[in-house]
């Protein structure tokens, strides 16, 4: 296991700790305490106080059956009950973690071998990051049968002594808060950052994503197009859901066309050129030939990703040509990610709602970055949104008086592996053209992508207005891009660490220091 110390100390400002409990103690408390007292008791262990009675009945059946096979009651020690991974929503019925092994037991009243196998294989994906031997079981209370996952691909009915032996062999790891072991970032896969893992299905959708996908896949157009929209802020998993749906269609050899409303990034290009994905770019100001000559009847699914950047004339042309074609059409967008005044003026999401009335799906839970980074970004753009219980261990800032010294430092960060996202006129290769001018497409290349460590620049053009919200002054030069929107785009690319480089702006630095204090 990656964690070597016996006791894991976690920040006391984190979410409520999930603690291990003795299963007999849990059942005794349920039997002897009032409902209110029982809820308070289990809440102290981080167990959902609304734990269902049928789940406790299944647990009682398992414990009673095990006690018939062994006198060793210590095997019921140190279980995590109903643990759910933060931001992901993946839940495990029973987990017992040792230095040498992990035992996972799922409880079912009734089930099929197919469903049991599928769940345990999924569980293995989430548990393999603990980097120790993994034993997975499912107990079906209606039949009092125990199944074990074998070779990561099939299940077998096993004797209860197999489970007892695995529990007896464990050298338990004392854990103060289980959330410390399960970093949600480990389970997030981007179709663009990790296309191979995406194509191999080495990821799972959240509960909300899965629900939306199931509903969308079941819908079918009749005679006329079926219009759908997927909306969500940065990091809510829009792109993964969208491309997961497209992948299902492609595997079934059904006609698919994906339009990315902007410049294709390296991930797009790899999917398109190496794996023959039907992805095309619709860049602002460029007439897409396919809109004129395309035979839309060839397709079962048409996707517009980052639809808020669509040219309204292109969209109108498309809609006029497709209104009699029975095709499923999905528009994915983020209302927060307007970068130019023209995009805001076009208001494509509003136009779609007014003209098409699409069936709407809104993703609300941020899964890409940590809650720490989420809280900081919220406070950075609005000082009133302070999170008193949040400690910022992965956010840092450094200050420079001049662009020259800051530029040298940014080059250093770039060489150290940080993704440097700079909206000023610093000559950073990742953002600027050969002549030092800001490339017009540079901001669009990072849309839909995320990076482990991100560094962003805040220069003297940013300030806090009377409402304590971060603002930007254009100065003498009228800028094409709305700089606060671009900054928001940049900081929301960070998954694990965010570093702010401030230039000649002591006032904003002071506010940031107060946030981090």
């Amino acid at each position: 296991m990656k964690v070597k110390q016996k006791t894991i100390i976690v920040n006391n400002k984190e979410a409520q700790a999930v603690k291990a409990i003795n299963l007999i103690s849990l059942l005794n408390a349920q039997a002897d305490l009032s409902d209110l007292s029982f809820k308070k008791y289990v809440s102290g262990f981080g167990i959902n106080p609304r734990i269902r009675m049928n789940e406790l009945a299944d647990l009682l059946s398992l414990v009673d059956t095990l006690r018939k096979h062994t006198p060793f009651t210590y095997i019921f020690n140190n279980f995590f009950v109903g643990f759910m991974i933060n931001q992901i929503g993946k839940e495990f019925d029973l987990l017992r973690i040792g230095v040498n092994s992990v035992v996972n037991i799922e409880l079912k009243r009734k089930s099929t071998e197919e469903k049991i196998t599928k769940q345990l294989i999924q569980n293995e994906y989430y548990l393999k990051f603990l980097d120790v031997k993994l034993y997975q079981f499912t107990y079906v209370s209606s039949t009092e049968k125990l199944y074990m996952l074998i070779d990561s691909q099939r299940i077998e009915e096993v004797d209860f002594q197999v489970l007892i032996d695995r529990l007896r062999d464990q050298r338990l790891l004392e854990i103060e808060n289980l959330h410390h072991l399960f970093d949600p970032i480990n389970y997030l896969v981007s179709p663009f950052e990790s296309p191979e893992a995406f194509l191999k299905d080495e990821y799972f959708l959240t509960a909300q994503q899965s629900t939306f996908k199931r509903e969308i896949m079941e819908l079918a157009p009749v005679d006329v197009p079926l219009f759908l929209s997927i909306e969500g802020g940065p990091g809510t998993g829009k792109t993964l859901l969208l491309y997961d749906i497209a992948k299902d269609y492609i595997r079934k050899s059904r006609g698919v066309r994906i339009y990315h409303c902007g410049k294709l990034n390296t991930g797009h290009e790899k999917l398109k050129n190496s794996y023959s994905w039907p992805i095309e770019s619709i860049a602002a100001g460029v007439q897409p030939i396919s809109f004129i000559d395309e035979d839309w009847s060839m397709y079962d699914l048409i996707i517009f990703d980052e639809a808020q950047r669509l040219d309204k004339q292109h969209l109108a042309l498309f809609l006029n040509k497709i209104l009699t074609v029975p095709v499923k059409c999905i528009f994915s967008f983020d209302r927060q990610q307007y970068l130019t005044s023209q995009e805001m003026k076009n208001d494509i999401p509003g136009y779609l709602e007014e003209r098409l009335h699409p069936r709407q799906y809104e993703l609300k839970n941020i899964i890409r970055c940590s809650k720490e980074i989420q809280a900081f970004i919220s406070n950075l753009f609005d000082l009133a949104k302070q999170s008193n219980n949040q400690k910022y261990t992965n956010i840092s800032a450094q200050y420079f008086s001049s662009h020259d010294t800051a530029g040298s430092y940014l080059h250093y960060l770039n060489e150290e592996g940080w993704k440097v996202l700079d909206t000023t006129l610093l000559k950073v290769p990742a953002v600027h053209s050969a002549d030092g001018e800001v490339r017009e497409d540079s901001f669009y290349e990072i849309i839909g992508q995320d990076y482990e460590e991100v560094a962003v620049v805040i220069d003297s053009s940013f300030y806090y207005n009377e409402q304590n919200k971060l603002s930007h002054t254009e100065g003498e030069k009228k800028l094409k891009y709305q700089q606060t929107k671009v900054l928001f785009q940049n900081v929301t690319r960070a998954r694990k660490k965010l570093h702010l480089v401030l230039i000649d702006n002591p006032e904003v630095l002071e506010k940031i220091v107060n946030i981090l204090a």
Side-chain angles (χ1 to χ4, degrees), residues 406-448:
S408 175
Y409 179 66
L410 289 173
H411 281 293
Y412 161 76
L413 290 176
N414 189 53
E415 292 174 357
E416 290 296 308
W418 288 78
K419 182 66 176 179
V420 177
L421 303 176
D422 177 19
T423 63
T424 72
L425 293 181
L426 294 171
K427 295 183 179 181
V428 178
V431 177
H432 296 74
S433 61
D435 59 4
E437 291 299 316
V438 178
R439 295 204 320 265
E440 290 195 353
D441 61 0
S442 60
F443 309 126
Y444 294 95
E445 292 179 358
I446 65 171
I447 294 169

Side-chain angles (χ1 to χ4, degrees), residues 142-383:
S142 61
T143 60
E144 294 188 356
K145 289 184 177 182
L146 183 69
Y147 298 90
M148 182 178 181
L149 184 66
I150 308 296
D151 299 329
S152 304
Q153 59 184 0
R154 60 187 176 85
I155 62 170
E156 287 183 1
E157 183 181 352
V158 295
D159 188 83
F160 285 90
Q161 193 61 46
V162 175
L163 172 57
I164 293 168
D165 289 343
R166 300 298 179 269
L167 295 173
R168 291 187 63 192
D169 289 342
Q170 272 189 306
R171 291 184 287 116
L172 293 176
L173 182 70
E174 187 177 331
I175 303 172
E176 188 174 314
N177 187 348
L178 192 57
H179 287 300
H180 188 84
L181 288 181
F182 289 85
D183 186 347
I185 299 300
N186 290 332
Y187 311 111
L188 303 180
V189 169
S190 165
F192 309 139
E193 289 295 300
S194 309
E196 290 81 6
F198 169 73
L199 294 172
K200 292 178 182 177
D201 300 329
E202 294 179 353
Y203 65 93
F204 290 97
L205 303 179
T206 66
Q208 187 182 43
Q209 287 173 318
S210 296
T211 298
F212 286 176
K213 177 185 177 181
R214 183 174 60 254
E215 292 181 8
I216 290 171
M217 295 297 289
E218 289 175 352
L219 295 171
V222 178
D223 297 329
V224 294
L226 173 63
F227 295 109
L228 312 170
S229 70
I230 298 176
E231 178 179 0
T236 53
K238 300 184 302 300
T239 299
L240 179 60
L241 173 58
L242 200 64
Y243 276 69
D244 181 77
I245 292 171
K247 184 169 61 176
D248 275 15
Y249 272 78
I250 290 171
R251 285 178 173 173
K252 295 174 183 176
S253 298
R254 301 176 68 181
V256 176
R257 171 68 78 190
I258 301 173
Y259 288 108
H260 179 72
C261 304
K263 180 180 174 61
L264 299 185
N265 59 41
T266 55
H268 286 123
E269 296 287 0
K270 188 160 190 177
L271 287 173
K272 178 179 179 178
N273 298 324
S274 299
Y275 300 100
S276 301
W277 269 53
I279 303 173
E280 297 295 338
S281 169
I282 306 179
V286 178
Q287 175 65 56
I289 300 301
S290 59
F291 270 28
I292 300 175
D293 301 324
E294 194 73 80
D295 179 5
W296 300 109
S297 63
M298 297 170 52
Y299 301 112
D300 299 288
L301 176 67
I302 301 171
I303 288 173
F304 291 89
D305 194 15
E306 301 293 340
Q308 73 273 9
R309 309 195 195 291
L310 267 171
D311 183 283
K312 188 173 281 189
Q313 290 183 338
H314 294 168
L315 177 58
L317 179 60
F318 166 76
L319 294 178
N320 290 337
K321 283 178 167 289
I322 203 173
L323 286 179
T324 59
V325 181
V327 62
K328 186 181 296 184
C329 186
I330 304 177
F331 296 90
S332 176
F333 55 82
D334 176 3
R335 296 175 196 263
Q336 299 181 62
Q337 293 290 4
Y338 293 123
L339 295 183
T340 69
S341 298
Q342 187 60 47
E343 289 176 358
M344 295 184 68
K345 182 179 179 180
N346 284 341
D347 186 22
I348 295 301
Y351 177 78
L352 291 171
E353 291 169 359
E354 180 179 349
R355 179 168 177 180
L356 303 179
H357 306 290
R359 186 184 292 252
Q360 298 173 314
Y361 297 88
E362 183 177 2
L363 293 165
K364 296 182 178 181
N365 298 324
I366 298 176
I367 60 176
R368 179 174 62 214
C369 64
S370 67
K371 291 184 179 297
E372 174 190 345
I373 293 179
Q374 293 176 41
F376 176 78
I377 292 174
S378 178
N379 201 179
L380 174 67
F381 284 86
D382 187 346
L383 295 178

Side-chain angles (χ1 to χ4, degrees), residues 83-92 126 205-207 367:
F83 171 69
M84 184 178 293
I85 301 176
N86 277 336
Q87 299 175 242
I88 300 296
K90 174 60 182 176
E91 185 176 2
F92 304 93
Y126 289 101
L205 303 179
T206 66
I367 60 176

Side-chain angles (χ1 to χ4, degrees), residues 67-81:
R67 295 184 76 173
K68 293 176 184 177
H69 288 78
T70 180
F72 302 112
T73 57
Y74 64 81
I75 66 170
F76 300 111
N77 292 337
N78 287 68
F79 274 91
F80 295 95
V81 178

